Amino acid sequence: MTHASLFALDATSQMDPTTGVFILASIVKMIAIFTLVMVGVAYTTFAERRISAWIQDRHGPNRVGPLGLFQVLADGIKNLMKEETYPSESNLALFILAPALAFIPAMLTWAVIPFASPLPTPWGRIDMVVADLPVGFLFTLAISSIGVYGLALAGWSSNNKYALLGGLRASAQMISYEIAMGMSTVCVLLLSGNVHLTEIIKQQSTMGWNVFLLSIAFFLFLIAAFAETNRVPFDLPEAESELIAGYHTEYSAMKFSLFPISEYAGMITASAMLVTLFFGGWDIPFTQWDNTGDFTVLKTLLTFASFAVKVLFWVFFYIWIRWTLPRFRYDQLMSLGWKVMLPIALAYVTIVATLVLVLDMAGLSRDWRFGGVMFAVNAVLVVLLFFVLDRGRIVSPAYSRLDKAAVDRLRAVTAARAALTTGEGA
Amino acid sequence: MQNEFVPLFYGFHFYLFGLIALASAILFVTRKSPVAAALWLVQTMFALAALYIMMDAQFVGVMQILVYAGAIMVVFLFVIMLLNLGHPDEISDIRGTWGRVIAGLFGIALLAEVGAASRNALVPALQLPQAPTDGAINGTAGVIGPIAGPMFKEYLLAFELTSVLLLVAVIGAVVLGKKSSNAR
């Protein structure tokens, strides 16, 4: 293939490829995505350590290689060389299977996420998504719902009470937040009218990004995504102060390492989903150049860059939150999921569905005007939720304000206990 | 993407997933450990989902994983772990030789019934108003349009009644849960 043939493309480059080309391209895409995400995972662990150091005014790992960039390699080799231990009374088959069950779902979602505009080649148009499933969005929900098996089984098979408690917490937490997550994304589906991720991106390029049209759904999804990936402030399943290391207490060497790897892979995947559903996927903002006309190589490269920048921002956001917020208490976590997020999501779905129905009946075509009305209504709802209903009234029962009498009673009890202890000591 | 390999490819995977589904279902019934049994059931559900997707019922396939494997079985597993049932040998409910003989007879009778029924009865084709075609799948509503349409138009009453039934079950569970905590 000459250099010219790559850029001087004829009409074939815009058409569907043949079966052979399709299979070959799919294999290449699988390998490329897997490699990219794995390298991303490795450097996210490094970024986490450097950013945490920056936030806490330390240096962080900066000794291995330039800027400490080879630290990842050193850690990987260390984990592979370490001795593996197995707890004596464990269920060995499940103990070995569990890390894989945690890791695979975290990677699998990448199969359906479109990461750039289609690439024209001399052998036909190659979609920049590994598998362009017509049920793509439901597939991502299904895969994220089976991620819990790895954690629950790791906890159970270790035959360790801390591990078991961690596993139980993981399954309860993930089931709870999955519901809020699913409900928040119903609004996205109402606007796009399709579960095909490519169509969801197309809708956002014509109507405006969903983060502006469906801000409350975005906030709910963001919170649920933190809970689904077990990140602070929802890292209850591995809370060091209560459960040693939670579900992976008994793991060592590379099997232990697979749990952090799957956590970071889950984080990158959740960021990619966030970008796809609410930030227009690979769409470049403020221009229609990337959505209209023939596909070109330049468009593919620039849209991929746009996607990567957005995903990396949300990965950074995950890290930023971890080193900023403290952990929830377990009952707060449950009440936030069931008593706050789920009712808000349900109410929001009702409002958005009504609005979409009214706008459709008014004969408004689904373009920027439709988006404009959605944005205006949404701005009012956001102000209502965060400035009127919040402030300890409805939205934040996790630290809801006690009335004065209750505070006085608690203080009296504490004072009485303190007096009693001093009395005994004397 | 039609060529001569497609039927072979299809047939191979149909039998592969069929075999996996059957083998895991048998293992699910015969395992004594409740956790192992639950996991084999999950495996069966995944194989069934693969079969649904091969029949172009992508929505049913994904729902199989999302609802059964991802939600119901996780709750099952959660309860099994929470109860922390004793050693598998203590909780076996196979009761003596006569129990096995009677259960075996019932099983053979059931198989015979299935065999007799399938010999002189054809499975009626699904009576959807319109079979989803490739055109409908690639249309504006996507792959779930042909399912959502009939469900929320022609069969709306049946759909709503089913949801009321589920609601009754949910309320029943809450009432039962409340009762036992009051008794204590």
Side-chain angles (χ1 to χ4, degrees):
Chain A
M1 187 181 62
T2 59
H3 191 69
S5 71
L6 226 174
F7 290 98
L9 297 161
D10 54 0
T12 355
S13 68
Q14 305 290 327
M15 289 180 207
D16 282 337
T18 57
T19 310
V21 172
F22 174 78
I23 290 173
L24 201 68
S26 296
I27 293 170
V28 171
K29 281 186 283 187
M30 274 184 230
I31 295 170
I33 282 288
F34 184 79
T35 316
L36 255 179
V37 176
M38 286 313 288
V39 171
V41 165
Y43 277 94
T44 311
T45 61
F46 178 70
E48 170 121 297
R49 294 171 67 182
R50 288 307 295 260
I51 292 170
S52 71
W54 172 55
I55 289 175
Q56 298 177 338
D57 203 12
R58 301 183 277 114
H59 285 296
N62 63 355
R63 286 285 171 267
V64 192
L67 297 170
L69 280 173
F70 298 152
Q71 181 69 43
V72 172
L73 213 65
D75 286 348
I77 292 168
K78 181 189 79 174
N79 273 323
L80 281 172
M81 304 297 274
K82 269 183 153 177
E83 185 192 356
E84 296 213 26
T85 55
Y86 298 100
S88 55
E89 293 288 310
S90 68
N91 186 327
L92 200 59
L94 290 181
F95 187 79
I96 293 172
L97 190 65
L101 284 182
F103 174 65
I104 293 168
M107 294 294 295
L108 214 52
T109 309
W110 275 95
V112 295
I113 297 177
F115 49 89
S117 70
L119 176 74
T121 63
W123 311 279
R125 172 177 50 82
I126 309 285
D127 289 328
M128 284 291 110
V129 44
V130 175
D132 200 15
L133 284 190
V135 284
F137 172 71
L138 294 173
F139 178 84
T140 63
L141 274 190
I143 294 304
S144 80
S145 73
I146 59 169
V148 63
Y149 280 106
L151 275 51
L153 288 175
W156 183 79
S157 64
S158 301
N159 197 21
N160 171 320
K161 62 185 167 194
Y162 296 111
L164 180 66
L165 282 172
L168 287 176
R169 279 184 175 190
S171 36
Q173 174 179 332
M174 287 175 104
I175 292 172
S176 309
Y177 279 82
E178 222 160 70
I179 295 168
M181 185 185 238
M183 277 295 159
S184 69
T185 48
V186 167
C187 305
V188 176
L189 303 184
L190 280 173
L191 272 193
S192 68
N194 207 322
V195 287
H196 199 167
L197 287 176
T198 312
E199 297 291 324
I200 292 176
I201 291 173
K202 205 183 280 175
Q203 168 251 323
Q204 296 184 68
S205 68
T206 54
M207 227 188 267
W209 290 358
N210 281 338
V211 64
F212 302 117
L213 313 183
L214 304 165
S215 308
I216 295 173
F218 159 70
F219 284 115
L220 293 174
F221 187 88
L222 183 68
I223 297 168
F226 270 84
E228 287 282 296
T229 44
N230 290 320
R231 289 285 295 187
V232 174
F234 300 101
D235 66 336
L236 275 294
E238 45 182 308
E240 306 90 347
S241 50
E242 301 157 24
L243 297 178
I244 306 181
Y247 54 87
H248 55 56
T249 303
E250 294 284 358
Y251 282 87
S252 54
M254 205 58 201
K255 284 195 185 57
F256 161 75
S257 208
L258 267 180
F259 286 109
I261 288 175
S262 55
E263 181 186 318
Y264 284 94
M267 211 165 103
I268 297 178
T269 310
S271 303
M273 276 313 291
L274 210 61
V275 167
T276 309
L277 293 178
F278 294 99
F279 289 85
W282 45 258
D283 182 45
I284 301 173
F286 310 119
T287 173
Q288 284 296 319
W289 168 79
D290 53 325
N291 313 110
T292 46
D294 282 354
F295 303 113
T296 61
V297 178
L298 184 67
K299 273 183 193 176
T300 305
L301 289 176
L302 285 182
T303 49
F304 178 70
S306 153
F307 179 75
V309 166
K310 291 178 204 171
V311 171
L312 288 180
F313 171 76
W314 287 107
V315 170
F316 170 73
F317 186 79
Y318 261 98
I319 296 170
W320 187 9
I321 290 286
R322 173 164 177 187
W323 299 99
T324 309
L325 291 184
R327 185 182 291 137
F328 275 108
R329 212 171 55 217
Y330 197 69
D331 60 317
Q332 293 174 333
L333 171 105
M334 280 293 151
S335 81
L336 179 71
W338 290 102
K339 294 182 191 163
V340 179
M341 285 178 55
L342 185 59
I344 291 178
L346 279 171
Y348 195 59
V349 168
T350 318
I351 295 171
V352 170
T354 316
L355 190 63
V356 169
L357 189 68
V358 166
L359 290 184
D360 274 348
M361 281 166 88
L364 210 59
S365 65
R366 293 208 172 189
D367 51 15
W368 62 270
R369 278 177 295 258
F370 198 98
V373 178
M374 289 291 302
F375 175 70
V377 175
N378 191 59
V380 174
L381 288 176
V382 167
V383 171
L384 203 68
L385 182 68
F386 290 112
F387 295 98
V388 181
L389 294 179
D390 196 6
R391 315 284 157 154
R393 289 189 187 93
I394 294 175
V395 181
S396 45
Y399 48 96
S400 64
R401 291 168 185 181
L402 296 169
D403 53 8
K404 200 171 173 306
V407 173
D408 287 344
R409 203 180 63 236
L410 283 174
R411 283 202 179 129
V413 170
T414 319
R417 278 206 188 123
L420 208 64
T421 326
T422 356
E424 276 170 2
Chain B
M1 279 195 295
Q2 287 293 326
N3 65 27
E4 69 273 25
F5 291 115
V6 170
L8 184 69
F9 193 71
Y10 187 92
F12 172 75
H13 283 96
F14 182 83
Y15 285 110
L16 178 71
F17 287 120
L19 214 63
I20 292 174
L22 267 181
S24 345
I26 291 169
L27 284 166
F28 155 58
V29 181
T30 51
R31 290 307 90 186
K32 280 181 181 170
S33 156
V35 171
L39 289 176
W40 282 115
L41 185 58
V42 174
Q43 171 96 322
T44 314
M45 280 158 181
F46 267 91
L48 285 181
L51 288 177
Y52 288 137
I53 288 169
M54 288 185 70
M55 288 183 243
D56 275 342
Q58 278 127 334
F59 181 74
V60 184
V62 171
M63 277 299 142
Q64 175 87 7
I65 295 176
L66 181 58
V67 175
Y68 287 98
I72 293 178
M73 287 316 292
V74 173
V75 177
F76 265 48
L77 210 61
F78 183 80
V79 171
I80 292 171
M81 287 177 182
L82 201 64
L83 293 180
N84 204 9
L85 299 172
H87 196 265
D89 292 339
E90 297 159 19
I91 53 167
S92 170
D93 53 10
I94 298 170
R95 313 217 189 283
T97 320
W98 278 107
R100 289 179 196 212
V101 169
I102 292 170
L105 285 177
F106 272 115
I108 291 167
L110 189 68
L111 276 182
E113 268 176 47
V114 171
S118 61
R119 261 182 68 187
N120 44 22
L122 287 170
V123 180
L126 195 60
Q127 294 295 315
L128 277 177
Q130 245 183 336
T133 57
D134 276 359
I137 287 170
N138 297 326
T140 49
V143 74
I144 53 168
I147 296 169
M151 193 186 273
F152 289 103
K153 285 174 188 154
E154 283 88 347
Y155 303 110
L156 183 63
L157 184 68
F159 177 75
E160 293 290 339
L161 285 179
T162 315
S163 54
V164 169
L165 192 67
L166 288 174
L167 190 66
V168 169
V170 170
I171 293 171
V174 171
V175 168
L176 288 176
K178 284 254 177 205
K179 231 176 212 168
S180 62
S181 69
N182 281 350
R184 222 162 1 109

